[in-house]
Short mmCIF file of all heavy atoms in Angstrom, two decimals:
data_model
loop_
_atom_site.label_atom_id
_atom_site.label_comp_id
_atom_site.label_asym_id
_atom_site.label_seq_id
_atom_site.Cartn_x
_atom_site.Cartn_y
_atom_site.Cartn_z
N LEU A 44 8.66 2.82 -9.06
CA LEU A 44 7.67 3.69 -9.65
C LEU A 44 7.84 5.11 -9.11
O LEU A 44 8.12 5.30 -7.94
CB LEU A 44 6.27 3.22 -9.29
CG LEU A 44 5.75 1.94 -9.91
CD1 LEU A 44 4.40 1.59 -9.30
CD2 LEU A 44 5.65 2.04 -11.38
N ALA A 45 7.63 6.06 -9.97
CA ALA A 45 7.62 7.45 -9.53
C ALA A 45 6.36 7.71 -8.72
O ALA A 45 5.38 6.98 -8.82
CB ALA A 45 7.68 8.38 -10.75
N SER A 46 6.39 8.75 -7.92
CA SER A 46 5.26 9.05 -7.05
C SER A 46 3.94 9.16 -7.82
O SER A 46 2.93 8.62 -7.41
CB SER A 46 5.52 10.35 -6.29
OG SER A 46 4.43 10.66 -5.48
N GLY A 47 3.94 9.85 -8.93
CA GLY A 47 2.72 9.99 -9.73
C GLY A 47 2.25 8.68 -10.31
O GLY A 47 1.05 8.41 -10.39
N GLU A 48 3.20 7.83 -10.71
CA GLU A 48 2.83 6.52 -11.25
C GLU A 48 2.24 5.64 -10.16
O GLU A 48 1.28 4.91 -10.40
CB GLU A 48 4.06 5.83 -11.85
CG GLU A 48 4.58 6.50 -13.10
CD GLU A 48 5.90 5.92 -13.56
OE1 GLU A 48 6.70 5.49 -12.70
OE2 GLU A 48 6.12 5.89 -14.77
N ALA A 49 2.79 5.69 -8.97
CA ALA A 49 2.27 4.89 -7.85
C ALA A 49 0.84 5.30 -7.53
O ALA A 49 -0.02 4.44 -7.29
CB ALA A 49 3.16 5.05 -6.62
N GLU A 50 0.58 6.58 -7.55
CA GLU A 50 -0.78 7.06 -7.27
C GLU A 50 -1.75 6.61 -8.36
O GLU A 50 -2.88 6.21 -8.08
CB GLU A 50 -0.80 8.59 -7.15
CG GLU A 50 -2.15 9.16 -6.79
CD GLU A 50 -2.65 8.73 -5.42
OE1 GLU A 50 -1.84 8.37 -4.55
OE2 GLU A 50 -3.88 8.73 -5.24
N ALA A 51 -1.32 6.61 -9.61
CA ALA A 51 -2.17 6.16 -10.71
C ALA A 51 -2.48 4.68 -10.57
O ALA A 51 -3.62 4.25 -10.79
CB ALA A 51 -1.49 6.45 -12.05
N VAL A 52 -1.49 3.88 -10.18
CA VAL A 52 -1.71 2.45 -9.98
C VAL A 52 -2.69 2.24 -8.83
O VAL A 52 -3.63 1.44 -8.93
CB VAL A 52 -0.37 1.72 -9.69
CG1 VAL A 52 -0.62 0.31 -9.19
CG2 VAL A 52 0.50 1.71 -10.93
N ARG A 53 -2.50 2.96 -7.73
CA ARG A 53 -3.38 2.82 -6.57
C ARG A 53 -4.83 3.16 -6.95
O ARG A 53 -5.76 2.44 -6.61
CB ARG A 53 -2.90 3.72 -5.44
CG ARG A 53 -3.73 3.62 -4.18
CD ARG A 53 -3.22 4.40 -2.98
NE ARG A 53 -2.36 5.53 -3.23
CZ ARG A 53 -1.02 5.49 -3.15
NH1 ARG A 53 -0.39 4.38 -2.87
NH2 ARG A 53 -0.32 6.58 -3.36
N ARG A 54 -5.03 4.25 -7.68
CA ARG A 54 -6.39 4.65 -8.08
C ARG A 54 -7.03 3.64 -9.02
O ARG A 54 -8.22 3.36 -8.93
CB ARG A 54 -6.36 6.03 -8.71
CG ARG A 54 -6.13 7.12 -7.71
CD ARG A 54 -6.06 8.46 -8.37
NE ARG A 54 -5.60 9.45 -7.41
CZ ARG A 54 -6.12 10.63 -7.28
NH1 ARG A 54 -7.12 11.01 -8.04
NH2 ARG A 54 -5.64 11.47 -6.39
N ALA A 55 -6.23 3.08 -9.93
CA ALA A 55 -6.76 2.08 -10.86
C ALA A 55 -7.20 0.83 -10.10
O ALA A 55 -8.26 0.26 -10.39
CB ALA A 55 -5.70 1.72 -11.90
N ILE A 56 -6.43 0.43 -9.12
CA ILE A 56 -6.78 -0.74 -8.32
C ILE A 56 -8.06 -0.48 -7.53
O ILE A 56 -8.96 -1.30 -7.50
CB ILE A 56 -5.62 -1.12 -7.38
CG1 ILE A 56 -4.46 -1.66 -8.20
CG2 ILE A 56 -6.07 -2.13 -6.33
CD1 ILE A 56 -3.17 -1.80 -7.42
N LEU A 57 -8.14 0.67 -6.90
CA LEU A 57 -9.31 0.99 -6.09
C LEU A 57 -10.59 1.11 -6.92
O LEU A 57 -11.69 0.89 -6.41
CB LEU A 57 -9.08 2.28 -5.30
CG LEU A 57 -8.01 2.18 -4.22
CD1 LEU A 57 -7.81 3.54 -3.58
CD2 LEU A 57 -8.38 1.14 -3.19
N ALA A 58 -10.44 1.40 -8.19
CA ALA A 58 -11.61 1.54 -9.05
C ALA A 58 -12.28 0.19 -9.33
O ALA A 58 -13.46 0.13 -9.64
CB ALA A 58 -11.22 2.20 -10.37
N VAL A 59 -11.51 -0.90 -9.20
CA VAL A 59 -12.07 -2.21 -9.54
C VAL A 59 -12.13 -3.18 -8.37
O VAL A 59 -12.67 -4.27 -8.49
CB VAL A 59 -11.28 -2.87 -10.69
CG1 VAL A 59 -11.41 -2.06 -11.96
CG2 VAL A 59 -9.83 -3.08 -10.32
N VAL A 60 -11.58 -2.81 -7.22
CA VAL A 60 -11.53 -3.70 -6.07
C VAL A 60 -12.48 -3.19 -4.99
O VAL A 60 -12.51 -1.99 -4.71
CB VAL A 60 -10.09 -3.78 -5.52
CG1 VAL A 60 -10.03 -4.67 -4.29
CG2 VAL A 60 -9.15 -4.31 -6.59
N PRO A 61 -13.24 -4.08 -4.36
CA PRO A 61 -14.17 -3.65 -3.31
C PRO A 61 -13.43 -2.99 -2.14
O PRO A 61 -12.26 -3.23 -1.91
CB PRO A 61 -14.84 -4.94 -2.86
CG PRO A 61 -14.39 -6.01 -3.77
CD PRO A 61 -13.26 -5.49 -4.58
N ASN A 62 -14.15 -2.17 -1.38
CA ASN A 62 -13.56 -1.43 -0.26
C ASN A 62 -13.69 -2.15 1.07
O ASN A 62 -13.64 -1.51 2.12
CB ASN A 62 -14.20 -0.04 -0.16
CG ASN A 62 -13.73 0.87 -1.25
OD1 ASN A 62 -12.60 0.77 -1.71
ND2 ASN A 62 -14.57 1.76 -1.69
N ASP A 63 -13.84 -3.48 1.08
CA ASP A 63 -13.95 -4.19 2.35
C ASP A 63 -12.59 -4.49 2.96
O ASP A 63 -12.50 -5.04 4.04
CB ASP A 63 -14.77 -5.48 2.17
CG ASP A 63 -14.19 -6.41 1.13
OD1 ASP A 63 -13.36 -5.97 0.31
OD2 ASP A 63 -14.59 -7.59 1.12
N VAL A 64 -11.52 -4.10 2.26
CA VAL A 64 -10.16 -4.23 2.78
C VAL A 64 -9.44 -2.91 2.53
O VAL A 64 -9.89 -2.08 1.75
CB VAL A 64 -9.38 -5.39 2.11
CG1 VAL A 64 -10.01 -6.73 2.44
CG2 VAL A 64 -9.27 -5.19 0.63
N CYS A 65 -8.32 -2.72 3.19
CA CYS A 65 -7.50 -1.53 2.97
C CYS A 65 -6.27 -1.95 2.18
O CYS A 65 -5.49 -2.78 2.63
CB CYS A 65 -7.09 -0.91 4.32
SG CYS A 65 -6.30 0.70 4.13
N HIS A 66 -6.13 -1.41 0.98
CA HIS A 66 -5.02 -1.76 0.10
C HIS A 66 -3.83 -0.86 0.37
O HIS A 66 -3.97 0.36 0.34
CB HIS A 66 -5.45 -1.63 -1.36
CG HIS A 66 -6.53 -2.58 -1.71
ND1 HIS A 66 -7.85 -2.24 -1.60
CD2 HIS A 66 -6.48 -3.86 -2.13
CE1 HIS A 66 -8.58 -3.28 -1.96
NE2 HIS A 66 -7.78 -4.27 -2.27
N TRP A 67 -2.69 -1.46 0.64
CA TRP A 67 -1.47 -0.72 0.93
C TRP A 67 -0.49 -0.87 -0.20
O TRP A 67 -0.22 -1.97 -0.67
CB TRP A 67 -0.86 -1.22 2.23
CG TRP A 67 -1.54 -0.65 3.44
CD1 TRP A 67 -2.88 -0.63 3.69
CD2 TRP A 67 -0.91 0.00 4.53
NE1 TRP A 67 -3.12 0.00 4.89
CE2 TRP A 67 -1.93 0.39 5.42
CE3 TRP A 67 0.39 0.29 4.85
CZ2 TRP A 67 -1.66 1.05 6.61
CZ3 TRP A 67 0.66 0.95 6.03
CH2 TRP A 67 -0.36 1.32 6.90
N SER A 68 0.07 0.24 -0.65
CA SER A 68 1.07 0.23 -1.71
C SER A 68 2.24 1.10 -1.30
O SER A 68 2.13 1.99 -0.46
CB SER A 68 0.46 0.71 -3.03
OG SER A 68 -0.07 2.00 -2.88
N LEU A 69 3.39 0.82 -1.91
CA LEU A 69 4.62 1.54 -1.58
C LEU A 69 4.53 2.97 -2.09
O LEU A 69 4.37 3.22 -3.28
CB LEU A 69 5.81 0.82 -2.21
CG LEU A 69 7.19 1.28 -1.80
CD1 LEU A 69 7.39 1.16 -0.29
CD2 LEU A 69 8.25 0.47 -2.53
N GLU A 70 4.62 3.92 -1.19
CA GLU A 70 4.53 5.35 -1.51
C GLU A 70 5.90 5.93 -1.83
O GLU A 70 6.05 6.74 -2.73
CB GLU A 70 3.90 6.09 -0.32
CG GLU A 70 3.77 7.57 -0.50
CD GLU A 70 2.63 7.96 -1.42
OE1 GLU A 70 1.83 7.11 -1.83
OE2 GLU A 70 2.55 9.15 -1.75
N ASP A 71 6.93 5.53 -1.06
CA ASP A 71 8.28 6.06 -1.22
C ASP A 71 9.26 4.92 -1.01
O ASP A 71 9.48 4.48 0.12
CB ASP A 71 8.52 7.19 -0.21
CG ASP A 71 9.88 7.85 -0.37
OD1 ASP A 71 10.81 7.23 -0.90
OD2 ASP A 71 10.00 9.02 0.05
N ASP A 72 9.86 4.45 -2.10
CA ASP A 72 10.77 3.31 -2.05
C ASP A 72 12.02 3.60 -1.21
O ASP A 72 12.51 2.74 -0.49
CB ASP A 72 11.16 2.90 -3.47
CG ASP A 72 11.86 1.56 -3.53
OD1 ASP A 72 11.57 0.69 -2.68
OD2 ASP A 72 12.71 1.37 -4.43
N ASP A 73 12.54 4.82 -1.29
CA ASP A 73 13.75 5.17 -0.55
C ASP A 73 13.55 5.11 0.97
O ASP A 73 14.44 4.73 1.71
CB ASP A 73 14.24 6.57 -0.92
CG ASP A 73 14.73 6.64 -2.36
OD1 ASP A 73 15.19 5.61 -2.89
OD2 ASP A 73 14.65 7.73 -2.95
N ARG A 74 12.37 5.46 1.42
CA ARG A 74 12.06 5.47 2.86
C ARG A 74 11.22 4.28 3.29
O ARG A 74 10.86 4.16 4.45
CB ARG A 74 11.33 6.76 3.21
CG ARG A 74 12.20 7.98 3.02
CD ARG A 74 11.48 9.21 3.54
NE ARG A 74 12.36 10.36 3.45
CZ ARG A 74 12.22 11.33 2.57
NH1 ARG A 74 11.24 11.30 1.71
NH2 ARG A 74 13.06 12.35 2.55
N ASN A 75 10.86 3.41 2.34
CA ASN A 75 9.96 2.28 2.58
C ASN A 75 8.69 2.76 3.28
O ASN A 75 8.24 2.18 4.26
CB ASN A 75 10.64 1.15 3.37
CG ASN A 75 9.91 -0.17 3.19
OD1 ASN A 75 9.39 -0.45 2.11
ND2 ASN A 75 9.85 -0.97 4.22
N ALA A 76 8.13 3.84 2.75
CA ALA A 76 6.89 4.40 3.28
C ALA A 76 5.72 3.83 2.49
O ALA A 76 5.73 3.82 1.26
CB ALA A 76 6.90 5.92 3.16
N TRP A 77 4.71 3.34 3.20
CA TRP A 77 3.54 2.71 2.60
C TRP A 77 2.31 3.55 2.83
O TRP A 77 2.20 4.23 3.85
CB TRP A 77 3.35 1.32 3.20
CG TRP A 77 4.42 0.38 2.78
CD1 TRP A 77 5.69 0.31 3.28
CD2 TRP A 77 4.35 -0.60 1.76
NE1 TRP A 77 6.42 -0.65 2.63
CE2 TRP A 77 5.61 -1.24 1.69
CE3 TRP A 77 3.35 -1.00 0.89
CZ2 TRP A 77 5.88 -2.25 0.78
CZ3 TRP A 77 3.61 -2.01 -0.01
CH2 TRP A 77 4.87 -2.62 -0.05
N LYS A 78 1.36 3.51 1.88
CA LYS A 78 0.13 4.28 1.99
C LYS A 78 -1.06 3.35 1.81
O LYS A 78 -1.11 2.55 0.87
CB LYS A 78 0.09 5.38 0.94
CG LYS A 78 -1.11 6.29 1.09
CD LYS A 78 -1.02 7.47 0.15
CE LYS A 78 -2.16 8.44 0.39
NZ LYS A 78 -2.06 9.60 -0.49
N GLY A 79 -2.03 3.48 2.71
CA GLY A 79 -3.25 2.70 2.62
C GLY A 79 -4.30 3.41 1.81
O GLY A 79 -4.27 4.64 1.66
N SER A 80 -5.26 2.66 1.28
CA SER A 80 -6.33 3.26 0.49
C SER A 80 -7.18 4.21 1.31
O SER A 80 -7.88 5.07 0.77
CB SER A 80 -7.20 2.18 -0.16
OG SER A 80 -7.71 1.28 0.80
N CYS A 81 -7.11 4.11 2.65
CA CYS A 81 -7.84 5.03 3.52
C CYS A 81 -7.06 6.31 3.78
O CYS A 81 -7.55 7.22 4.43
CB CYS A 81 -8.14 4.34 4.85
SG CYS A 81 -6.68 4.06 5.87
N GLY A 82 -5.81 6.37 3.28
CA GLY A 82 -4.98 7.55 3.46
C GLY A 82 -3.90 7.40 4.52
O GLY A 82 -3.10 8.31 4.73
N ALA A 83 -3.87 6.26 5.19
CA ALA A 83 -2.84 6.03 6.22
C ALA A 83 -1.45 6.04 5.59
O ALA A 83 -1.26 5.51 4.49
CB ALA A 83 -3.08 4.69 6.91
N LEU A 84 -0.48 6.65 6.26
CA LEU A 84 0.92 6.61 5.85
C LEU A 84 1.70 5.92 6.96
O LEU A 84 1.52 6.24 8.14
CB LEU A 84 1.47 8.02 5.63
CG LEU A 84 0.99 8.72 4.38
CD1 LEU A 84 1.45 10.17 4.38
CD2 LEU A 84 1.49 8.01 3.14
N TRP A 85 2.58 4.99 6.57
CA TRP A 85 3.30 4.22 7.57
C TRP A 85 4.70 3.91 7.05
O TRP A 85 4.86 3.48 5.92
CB TRP A 85 2.55 2.91 7.83
CG TRP A 85 2.79 2.31 9.16
CD1 TRP A 85 3.73 1.36 9.46
CD2 TRP A 85 2.11 2.59 10.37
NE1 TRP A 85 3.66 1.03 10.78
CE2 TRP A 85 2.66 1.78 11.37
CE3 TRP A 85 1.08 3.45 10.70
CZ2 TRP A 85 2.21 1.80 12.68
CZ3 TRP A 85 0.64 3.47 12.00
CH2 TRP A 85 1.20 2.65 12.98
N GLY A 86 5.72 4.13 7.88
CA GLY A 86 7.10 3.82 7.51
C GLY A 86 7.55 2.52 8.15
O GLY A 86 7.30 2.28 9.33
N LEU A 87 8.19 1.68 7.37
CA LEU A 87 8.70 0.40 7.86
C LEU A 87 10.21 0.37 7.66
O LEU A 87 10.73 0.98 6.74
CB LEU A 87 8.06 -0.77 7.09
CG LEU A 87 6.54 -0.86 7.19
CD1 LEU A 87 6.03 -1.90 6.19
CD2 LEU A 87 6.13 -1.24 8.60
N THR A 88 10.90 -0.37 8.53
CA THR A 88 12.35 -0.45 8.38
C THR A 88 12.74 -1.31 7.19
O THR A 88 13.76 -1.08 6.56
CB THR A 88 13.02 -1.01 9.65
OG1 THR A 88 12.41 -2.25 9.99
CG2 THR A 88 12.89 -0.03 10.79
N ASP A 89 11.91 -2.32 6.86
CA ASP A 89 12.17 -3.13 5.67
C ASP A 89 10.93 -3.94 5.30
O ASP A 89 9.99 -4.06 6.08
CB ASP A 89 13.36 -4.07 5.86
CG ASP A 89 13.15 -5.10 6.97
OD1 ASP A 89 12.06 -5.18 7.54
OD2 ASP A 89 14.10 -5.85 7.25
N SER A 90 10.91 -4.44 4.10
CA SER A 90 9.91 -5.36 3.60
C SER A 90 8.52 -4.72 3.49
O SER A 90 8.38 -3.51 3.37
CB SER A 90 9.88 -6.62 4.46
OG SER A 90 9.30 -7.69 3.76
N THR A 91 7.47 -5.56 3.50
CA THR A 91 6.10 -5.10 3.30
C THR A 91 5.34 -5.07 4.63
O THR A 91 5.78 -5.67 5.61
CB THR A 91 5.35 -6.04 2.34
OG1 THR A 91 5.17 -7.31 2.99
CG2 THR A 91 6.09 -6.22 1.03
N PRO A 92 4.18 -4.41 4.66
CA PRO A 92 3.38 -4.42 5.88
C PRO A 92 3.03 -5.84 6.33
O PRO A 92 3.16 -6.17 7.52
CB PRO A 92 2.12 -3.63 5.50
CG PRO A 92 2.59 -2.69 4.43
CD PRO A 92 3.60 -3.50 3.65
N GLU A 93 2.60 -6.70 5.41
CA GLU A 93 2.24 -8.07 5.78
C GLU A 93 3.44 -8.85 6.27
O GLU A 93 3.33 -9.63 7.22
CB GLU A 93 1.56 -8.77 4.60
CG GLU A 93 0.16 -8.21 4.35
CD GLU A 93 -0.50 -8.78 3.12
OE1 GLU A 93 0.20 -9.19 2.17
OE2 GLU A 93 -1.74 -8.80 3.10
N ASP A 94 4.62 -8.63 5.66
CA ASP A 94 5.84 -9.30 6.13
C ASP A 94 6.21 -8.86 7.54
O ASP A 94 6.92 -9.57 8.25
CB ASP A 94 7.01 -9.02 5.19
CG ASP A 94 6.90 -9.75 3.86
OD1 ASP A 94 6.08 -10.69 3.75
OD2 ASP A 94 7.62 -9.36 2.92
N ASN A 95 5.74 -7.68 7.94
CA ASN A 95 6.01 -7.15 9.27
C ASN A 95 4.89 -7.46 10.26
O ASN A 95 4.81 -6.87 11.33
CB ASN A 95 6.25 -5.64 9.20
CG ASN A 95 7.65 -5.31 8.75
OD1 ASN A 95 8.58 -5.37 9.54
ND2 ASN A 95 7.82 -5.01 7.48
N GLY A 96 4.00 -8.38 9.88
CA GLY A 96 2.95 -8.82 10.80
C GLY A 96 1.73 -7.93 10.87
O GLY A 96 0.89 -8.10 11.76
N MET A 97 1.60 -6.99 9.95
CA MET A 97 0.43 -6.11 9.96
C MET A 97 -0.72 -6.81 9.24
O MET A 97 -0.65 -7.07 8.05
CB MET A 97 0.77 -4.78 9.27
CG MET A 97 1.81 -3.98 10.01
SD MET A 97 2.30 -2.47 9.12
CE MET A 97 0.85 -1.45 9.39
N ALA A 98 -1.78 -7.11 9.96
CA ALA A 98 -2.94 -7.78 9.38
C ALA A 98 -4.10 -6.81 9.18
O ALA A 98 -4.98 -7.05 8.36
CB ALA A 98 -3.38 -8.93 10.27
N TYR A 99 -4.09 -5.72 9.94
CA TYR A 99 -5.16 -4.72 9.87
C TYR A 99 -4.56 -3.33 9.76
O TYR A 99 -3.50 -3.05 10.31
CB TYR A 99 -6.05 -4.79 11.12
CG TYR A 99 -6.76 -6.11 11.23
CD1 TYR A 99 -6.20 -7.14 11.98
CD2 TYR A 99 -7.96 -6.33 10.57
CE1 TYR A 99 -6.83 -8.38 12.06
CE2 TYR A 99 -8.60 -7.56 10.65
CZ TYR A 99 -8.03 -8.57 11.40
OH TYR A 99 -8.65 -9.79 11.47
N CYS A 100 -5.25 -2.45 9.07
CA CYS A 100 -4.80 -1.07 8.93
C CYS A 100 -4.91 -0.37 10.28
O CYS A 100 -5.97 -0.42 10.91
CB CYS A 100 -5.65 -0.36 7.88
SG CYS A 100 -5.25 1.39 7.72
N PRO A 101 -3.84 0.30 10.71
CA PRO A 101 -3.90 1.00 12.00
C PRO A 101 -4.80 2.24 11.98
O PRO A 101 -5.17 2.75 13.02
CB PRO A 101 -2.45 1.38 12.28
CG PRO A 101 -1.78 1.37 10.95
CD PRO A 101 -2.52 0.38 10.10
N LYS A 102 -5.17 2.72 10.80
CA LYS A 102 -6.03 3.92 10.71
C LYS A 102 -7.50 3.56 10.63
O LYS A 102 -8.31 4.05 11.42
CB LYS A 102 -5.64 4.78 9.50
CG LYS A 102 -6.48 6.04 9.39
CD LYS A 102 -6.03 6.93 8.26
CE LYS A 102 -6.92 8.16 8.20
NZ LYS A 102 -6.51 9.07 7.13
N CYS A 103 -7.87 2.68 9.66
CA CYS A 103 -9.30 2.39 9.45
C CYS A 103 -9.75 1.06 10.06
O CYS A 103 -10.94 0.82 10.19
CB CYS A 103 -9.64 2.43 7.96
SG CYS A 103 -8.96 1.06 7.00
N GLY A 104 -8.80 0.19 10.40
CA GLY A 104 -9.13 -1.07 11.04
C GLY A 104 -9.54 -2.19 10.09
O GLY A 104 -9.79 -3.31 10.53
N ARG A 105 -9.61 -1.90 8.79
CA ARG A 105 -9.99 -2.95 7.83
C ARG A 105 -8.81 -3.91 7.63
O ARG A 105 -7.65 -3.54 7.84
CB ARG A 105 -10.38 -2.33 6.50
CG ARG A 105 -11.68 -1.55 6.58
CD ARG A 105 -12.07 -0.98 5.25
NE ARG A 105 -11.13 0.11 4.92
CZ ARG A 105 -11.20 0.84 3.83
NH1 ARG A 105 -12.12 0.60 2.93
NH2 ARG A 105 -10.34 1.81 3.62
N PRO A 106 -9.09 -5.14 7.18
CA PRO A 106 -8.00 -6.06 6.86
C PRO A 106 -7.06 -5.43 5.83
O PRO A 106 -7.52 -4.78 4.88
CB PRO A 106 -8.72 -7.28 6.28
CG PRO A 106 -10.09 -7.23 6.87
CD PRO A 106 -10.41 -5.76 7.00
N LEU A 107 -5.78 -5.61 6.02
CA LEU A 107 -4.76 -4.99 5.19
C LEU A 107 -4.33 -5.95 4.08
O LEU A 107 -4.07 -7.12 4.34
CB LEU A 107 -3.57 -4.63 6.08
CG LEU A 107 -2.42 -3.88 5.48
CD1 LEU A 107 -1.80 -3.00 6.53
CD2 LEU A 107 -1.39 -4.82 4.90
N VAL A 108 -4.26 -5.45 2.86
CA VAL A 108 -3.77 -6.21 1.71
C VAL A 108 -2.66 -5.40 1.06
O VAL A 108 -2.85 -4.24 0.72
CB VAL A 108 -4.89 -6.47 0.68
CG1 VAL A 108 -4.34 -7.15 -0.56
CG2 VAL A 108 -5.99 -7.31 1.30
N THR A 109 -1.47 -6.01 0.92
CA THR A 109 -0.36 -5.34 0.29
C THR A 109 -0.47 -5.48 -1.22
O THR A 109 -0.65 -6.57 -1.75
CB THR A 109 0.98 -5.96 0.76
OG1 THR A 109 1.07 -5.83 2.17
CG2 THR A 109 2.16 -5.25 0.13
N VAL A 110 -0.39 -4.35 -1.92
CA VAL A 110 -0.46 -4.32 -3.38
C VAL A 110 0.94 -4.07 -3.90
O VAL A 110 1.54 -3.04 -3.60
CB VAL A 110 -1.42 -3.21 -3.87
CG1 VAL A 110 -1.42 -3.13 -5.39
CG2 VAL A 110 -2.81 -3.43 -3.31
N ILE A 111 1.46 -5.02 -4.67
CA ILE A 111 2.78 -4.88 -5.25
C ILE A 111 2.65 -4.88 -6.77
O ILE A 111 2.35 -5.92 -7.34
CB ILE A 111 3.73 -5.99 -4.78
CG1 ILE A 111 3.71 -6.03 -3.27
CG2 ILE A 111 5.10 -5.83 -5.40
CD1 ILE A 111 4.88 -6.55 -2.56
N PRO A 112 2.84 -3.72 -7.42
CA PRO A 112 2.71 -3.68 -8.88
C PRO A 112 3.84 -4.47 -9.55
O PRO A 112 4.92 -4.63 -8.97
CB PRO A 112 2.81 -2.20 -9.22
CG PRO A 112 3.27 -1.51 -8.00
CD PRO A 112 3.12 -2.44 -6.85
N ASP A 113 3.57 -4.95 -10.75
CA ASP A 113 4.60 -5.66 -11.50
C ASP A 113 5.77 -4.72 -11.75
O ASP A 113 5.59 -3.58 -12.16
CB ASP A 113 4.05 -6.13 -12.85
CG ASP A 113 3.01 -7.20 -12.70
OD1 ASP A 113 3.03 -7.92 -11.66
OD2 ASP A 113 2.16 -7.33 -13.59
N GLU A 114 7.00 -5.22 -11.52
CA GLU A 114 8.18 -4.39 -11.71
C GLU A 114 8.47 -4.14 -13.20
O GLU A 114 9.20 -3.24 -13.53
CB GLU A 114 9.39 -5.04 -11.03
CG GLU A 114 9.26 -5.04 -9.53
CD GLU A 114 10.49 -5.62 -8.86
OE1 GLU A 114 11.54 -5.71 -9.51
OE2 GLU A 114 10.39 -5.98 -7.69
N GLU A 115 7.88 -4.95 -14.07
CA GLU A 115 8.12 -4.81 -15.50
C GLU A 115 7.38 -3.64 -16.09
O GLU A 115 7.71 -3.17 -17.15
CB GLU A 115 7.70 -6.09 -16.22
CG GLU A 115 8.52 -7.28 -15.81
CD GLU A 115 8.00 -8.57 -16.43
OE1 GLU A 115 7.07 -8.50 -17.25
OE2 GLU A 115 8.54 -9.62 -16.09
N GLU A 116 6.33 -3.13 -15.41
CA GLU A 116 5.52 -2.04 -15.95
C GLU A 116 6.24 -0.72 -15.85
O GLU A 116 7.03 -0.45 -15.07
CB GLU A 116 4.19 -1.95 -15.20
CG GLU A 116 3.33 -3.13 -15.50
CD GLU A 116 1.98 -3.03 -14.79
OE1 GLU A 116 1.67 -1.97 -14.20
OE2 GLU A 116 1.25 -4.01 -14.82
#
């Protein structure tokens, strides 16, 4: 997804999902940089935050949920 498309997906998700968790989505595929719904930015060497053992957002402390949009969209 392009940067603008990723932001649109993130905003659409946040509009319908409660804020009791922090939703993380891929911000930059080339750098594997992830962004939380609280604004946290985090770079990983590979895979997803949950695959790397991240259960809570390091910025807001809420439980972390990885959001992976359908690749077909």
